[in-house]
Amino acid sequence: MEQCAVLLWGWLLLGCSWGPGPPGVGAAALSTATYKLDDAYGLGRQFDGIGAVSGGGATSRLLVNYQEPYRSQILDYLFKPNFGASLHILKVEIGGDGQSTDGTEPSHMHYENDENYFRGYEWWLMKEAKKRNPKIKLIGLPWTFPAWIGKGENWPYDYPDVTAYYIVSWILGAKHYHDLDIDYVGIWNERAFNSKYIKVLRQSLDRLGLRNIGIIAADGDWNVSKEMIVDPYLNDAVEVVGAHYPGTKTVPNALLTKKKLWSSEDYSTFNDEVGAGCWARILNQNYVNGNMTSTIAWNLVASYYEELPFGRCGLMTAQEPWSGHYKVEAPIWITAHTTQFTQPGWSYLQVDGHLEGGGSFVALTDGLGNLTIIIETMTYNHSQCIRPPLPHFTVKPQRATFYLKGSFYTVKTLQVWHSRLDFESGRSSLFQQLHPVKVWKGSFSIDLNVDEVYTLTTLKTGQKCGHPEPPPPQPFPSNYKDDFNIRNPPFSEAPNFADQTGVFEYFINASDPGDHVFTLRQVVVQRPITWASDADQTISLIGNFKWVNMTVTCDIYIEKQRDGGVFVAGRVDNGGIYVRRTKGVFFWVFADGTYRVTGDLAGEEILMKGLSGVRNNAWHTLTLNIQGTSASGLLNGYPLWENVTISQPSNGWAAIGTRSFEFAQFDNFHVEAS
């Protein structure tokens, strides 16, 4: 059962001063500055919430394979109000069948005459988020698009009506099949925007009565704002100007639009204490420096194989569904400092927000008398994000005195929550409740050390909740089988397979007499409109990156005549946005009756080749055995090739895949490894 800790510790000083004081620093030696919080002359911008991205790409891939109760526990830490991160916004990838950072996510429309609103796991995730927080805002954004959108071109804007139809179909499908109301939709992640398309999308939404769905543009830099201020129709079409990794800064043109300004993707940093420091700093300073009223983290939960690009760049880590192990990382509790004590619709106070000794604060109110102040004193070395480069700055211990004016003058007590990121001992203190602070004649003082976060609030609803410790970590099973025999799978993808190019889905092969009715099928037969550099071959990874020796066996069925082909592989060393450079040991068979052994996915490093007798539209069993520096292969249980010398790579995943974007089926997958 869950546990909520309300931990009281700290110091209450007499008079109007409150706070622990930095070790070895006398209160008199601290620099002191005063700050006024007043709502008498109006409020600042409206706060729109803190969120995170699932997707861009396949970042929640392993989460869906967790067994209960662990899967629900992870979801609680992310979405449950007054529990953990208590997120206000969930942004998901509108899957487009292409590689979008750490894998591919399936489209709801692989082809123009194909619609399926149960592929992938983002529908499920949005429903789980809504189940915990019915008020959570939902955003959809495409990274890639199926090939038919571009009609032969790697570009989604030549036929704006077609692209808008595709996106609106996703929005309507979310409502019709899952009762999900999408709040915002984006254009094309971190790629060129097209003003005509944005206006067509707005018209398409309005025509269907979806005027309440806001368009975010353009999820890259601030350049769309330059066009918005000279094109009133474009300006009317866009509700939010969203930039990625803005370094807490905005530009004059963005302010001139008079639109909501968001950091619509940020963070993307390893989730240790430095990552938590990055997150704490930008959550405040995106508003203090850049007037941004929402910050959205990439990514929600690091639930993909860690050795893929940007491993553990999530607010928490859940990459072992086979063991049930997960870890609630420091960024979860840094998030709670803001999310548990504010809500979308609150307003920022009009105040500078820079602390004289370095660091920042924001103050927000619900307009009904509640006040929340969030303070961060992150130092340069302990708050660097992965991007952009951080200009040098200094933070020192300091005393801050706050004067509460206007409707806040009557506040007598503030609840206090505190985090201290300890980089010396590694014993950080995260989201602890201290004694309340007494406000004396409208003022109080607080002594601030470096690398701290404080929340001072009139709200008494905050909680640091927790579930029992999850099971200990375990490596991926060294003996793993999947026969794909599942009539009504809860998800379209087989557990633990991580598609890197192409999409591998459960398939019912109704024409088979019985042995291979339920299979796994690669279903993308045209190269999608890409976001990353997808491979020319399709590939799905599985297992433990540290595996050295392994035997991979799989039944295969080539559907494409003449030049069709499939492979099984071991020691696969790469994926994600680097999939084109993947090395390993690849055992290929082709519809023309030949086979090859290659040292790379591209098939350029040929280690062995010959005749196999394999043809399309027939089942065969491939076995790849790798031991030390030698590999051998069996076809239908009989040796086909042996004694191929392997030098590199020395370890990696197992994998299956196809020669091109083509239909092919797989069954009875089995890997034994060490």
Side-chain angles (χ1 to χ4, degrees):
M1 62 186 279
E2 69 191 50
Q3 303 154 336
C4 292
V6 182
L7 304 174
L8 295 170
W9 60 281
W11 306 260
L12 189 60
L13 304 185
L14 297 174
C16 63
S17 299
W18 174 91
V25 180
L30 288 175
S31 62
T32 304
T34 60
Y35 309 93
K36 186 170 74 171
L37 303 181
D38 192 350
D39 61 352
Y41 304 100
L43 299 172
R45 290 186 173 233
Q46 181 176 292
F47 173 66
D48 294 312
I50 306 302
V53 183
S54 171
T59 52
S60 304
R61 175 67 197 92
L62 298 174
L63 174 62
V64 298
N65 304 141
Y66 271 80
Q67 299 299 306
E68 295 296 350
Y70 311 115
R71 190 172 71 176
S72 288
Q73 292 172 5
I74 296 163
L75 294 164
D76 287 348
Y77 282 116
L78 295 169
F79 300 120
K80 194 172 180 181
N82 295 314
F83 190 91
S86 306
L87 291 169
H88 302 135
I89 298 168
L90 172 61
K91 180 176 182 175
V92 304
E93 177 176 351
I94 300 175
D97 296 338
Q99 171 61 245
S100 53
T101 298
D102 289 290
T104 65
E105 299 204 20
S107 171
H108 59 289
M109 297 177 76
H110 294 316
Y111 319 108
E112 195 166 2
N113 59 355
D114 158 75
E115 289 186 68
N116 183 331
Y117 297 92
F118 295 91
R119 294 189 183 116
Y121 37 83
E122 303 296 4
W123 313 106
W124 165 84
L125 186 62
M126 287 189 282
K127 285 188 287 189
E128 291 294 328
K130 277 282 188 184
K131 195 185 297 181
R132 288 160 175 80
N133 177 10
K135 295 180 180 178
I136 198 166
K137 301 292 185 183
L138 300 176
I139 306 173
L141 174 66
W143 269 249
T144 72
F145 299 85
W148 63 271
I149 297 286
K151 299 189 179 180
E153 297 296 325
N154 194 38
W155 193 246
Y157 299 139
D158 288 342
Y159 306 93
D161 290 325
V162 173
T163 307
Y165 164 75
Y166 170 77
I167 295 297
V168 171
S169 295
W170 183 87
I171 293 168
L172 294 173
K175 181 63 175 178
H176 182 77
Y177 294 99
H178 302 285
D179 197 26
L180 290 168
D181 292 304
I182 304 301
D183 297 285
Y184 298 92
V185 67
I187 306 305
W188 188 14
N189 182 76
E190 293 173 3
R191 295 295 178 261
F193 66 90
N194 179 281
S195 297
K196 180 180 180 182
Y197 168 67
I198 293 171
K199 289 180 271 191
V200 168
L201 178 61
R202 180 72 271 160
Q203 292 165 359
S204 300
L205 291 167
D206 292 350
R207 193 166 57 246
L208 290 164
L210 301 173
R211 293 176 179 81
N212 57 315
I213 296 178
I215 291 178
I216 303 173
D219 283 306
D221 56 25
W222 295 110
N223 281 342
V224 71
S225 61
K226 189 186 303 183
E227 290 200 24
M228 289 170 65
I229 59 176
V230 297
D231 183 343
Y233 296 103
L234 178 62
N235 200 62
D236 287 347
V238 174
E239 182 171 329
V240 176
V241 182
H244 287 192
Y245 308 97
T248 76
K249 302 296 198 318
T250 188
V251 297
N253 283 336
L255 293 167
L256 286 172
T257 66
K258 296 184 166 34
K259 297 289 183 175
K260 296 179 179 184
L261 308 180
W262 289 8
S263 178
S264 53
E265 184 180 314
D266 218 326
Y267 173 67
S268 186
T269 299
F270 193 78
N271 58 22
D272 58 6
E273 265 70 3
V274 172
C278 151
W279 187 228
R281 178 176 56 78
I282 64 177
L283 281 178
N284 268 17
Q285 294 191 25
N286 276 344
Y287 184 74
V288 171
N289 298 334
N291 289 285
M292 287 168 267
T293 54
S294 177
T295 298
I296 299 175
W298 187 89
N299 56 67
L300 173 74
V301 53
S303 206
Y304 46 101
Y305 292 114
E306 187 169 333
E307 294 83 2
L308 288 167
F310 306 103
R312 271 187 58 187
C313 285
L315 298 180
M316 65 181 288
T317 305
Q319 57 194 23
E320 288 190 21
W322 47 88
S323 72
H325 179 73
Y326 62 85
K327 190 174 181 189
V328 184
E329 310 282 5
I332 288 288
W333 302 117
I334 295 300
T335 311
H337 273 282
T338 299
T339 54
Q340 289 203 19
F341 309 105
T342 60
Q343 288 298 323
W346 284 41
S347 294
Y348 287 96
L349 298 192
Q350 297 187 72
V351 63
D352 178 86
H354 292 99
L355 294 169
E356 282 195 17
S360 67
F361 72 92
V362 292
L364 300 100
T365 181
D366 62 355
L368 303 173
N370 283 309
L371 174 67
T372 291
I373 307 162
I374 304 127
I375 303 169
E376 61 81 22
T377 58
M378 293 300 125
T379 55
Y380 173 80
N381 287 335
H382 296 156
S383 67
Q384 295 188 41
C385 304
I386 195 170
R387 68 179 75 86
L390 183 63
H392 190 77
F393 61 88
T394 57
V395 181
K396 59 187 179 181
Q398 58 194 296
R399 168 167 288 183
T401 297
F402 289 87
Y403 290 93
L404 307 187
K405 302 289 187 179
S407 66
F408 308 122
Y409 183 77
T410 57
V411 171
K412 297 289 187 282
T413 305
L414 291 169
Q415 306 301 311
V416 183
W417 291 82
H418 173 256
S419 291
R420 181 167 184 269
L421 299 173
D422 190 329
F423 295 88
E424 304 304 321
S425 70
R427 291 193 294 273
S428 294
S429 170
L430 296 170
F431 201 60
Q432 304 293 311
Q433 188 171 15
L434 308 186
H435 286 298
V437 57
K438 301 289 186 187
V439 182
W440 179 256
K441 293 185 177 179
S443 77
F444 67 94
S445 295
I446 181 171
D447 293 341
L448 303 171
N449 205 338
V450 298
D451 295 326
E452 291 189 318
V453 183
Y454 280 95
T455 301
L456 300 105
T457 180
T458 55
L459 297 180
K460 297 181 180 180
T461 51
Q463 295 181 107
K464 184 175 185 180
C465 291
H467 287 293
E469 278 293 305
Q474 297 285 341
F476 192 95
S478 58
N479 190 338
Y480 185 83
K481 295 180 180 180
D482 195 335
D483 60 12
F484 312 120
N485 287 353
I486 179 165
R487 183 172 294 277
N488 295 302
F491 299 100
S492 59
E493 298 152 294
N496 306 319
F497 279 91
D499 303 347
Q500 301 302 310
T501 295
V503 171
F504 295 73
E505 295 180 351
Y506 282 118
F507 181 64
I508 298 179
N509 185 0
S511 64
D512 191 87
D515 290 343
H516 300 285
V517 174
F518 299 101
T519 67
L520 193 68
R521 191 190 201 200
Q522 201 294 118
V523 296
V524 178
V525 299
Q526 291 176 293
R527 185 182 184 84
I529 295 175
T530 56
W531 182 81
S533 190
D534 298 43
D536 296 321
Q537 308 75 20
T538 74
I539 179 171
S540 188
L541 309 172
I542 192 167
N544 185 342
F545 186 76
K546 295 174 182 170
W547 280 345
V548 175
N549 300 321
M550 65 186 84
T551 301
V552 185
T553 300
C554 192
D555 298 342
I556 60 92
Y557 186 90
I558 301 169
E559 297 188 47
K560 187 179 183 183
Q561 295 181 15
R562 291 184 294 279
D563 56 350
V566 302
F567 69 79
V568 298
R571 292 192 189 171
V572 175
D573 73 344
N574 232 322
I577 52 177
Y578 310 118
V579 66
R580 284 187 77 85
R581 66 176 77 158
T582 298
K583 306 286 188 185
V585 184
F586 292 81
F587 175 17
W588 307 79
V589 292
F590 304 107
D592 65 2
T594 63
Y595 78 89
R596 286 189 181 184
V597 185
T598 67
D600 60 343
L601 175 62
E604 294 169 355
E605 184 187 337
I606 300 172
L607 306 176
M608 177 81 83
K609 64 180 181 177
L611 297 174
S612 67
V614 168
R615 291 287 186 267
N616 59 289
N617 295 326
W619 282 97
H620 301 277
T621 302
L622 302 186
T623 302
L624 171 65
N625 184 31
I626 308 171
Q627 300 294 326
T629 59
S630 181
S632 59
L634 286 74
L635 175 64
N636 300 326
Y638 294 96
L640 182 63
W641 53 273
E642 56 191 359
N643 298 327
V644 169
T645 301
I646 307 301
S647 54
Q648 293 291 336
S650 57
N651 57 278
W653 295 288
I656 56 175
T658 66
R659 182 185 202 171
S660 65
F661 290 96
E662 63 186 90
F663 287 125
Q665 293 178 58
F666 302 84
D667 203 359
N668 298 319
F669 177 85
H670 182 202
V671 58
E672 286 187 82
S674 61

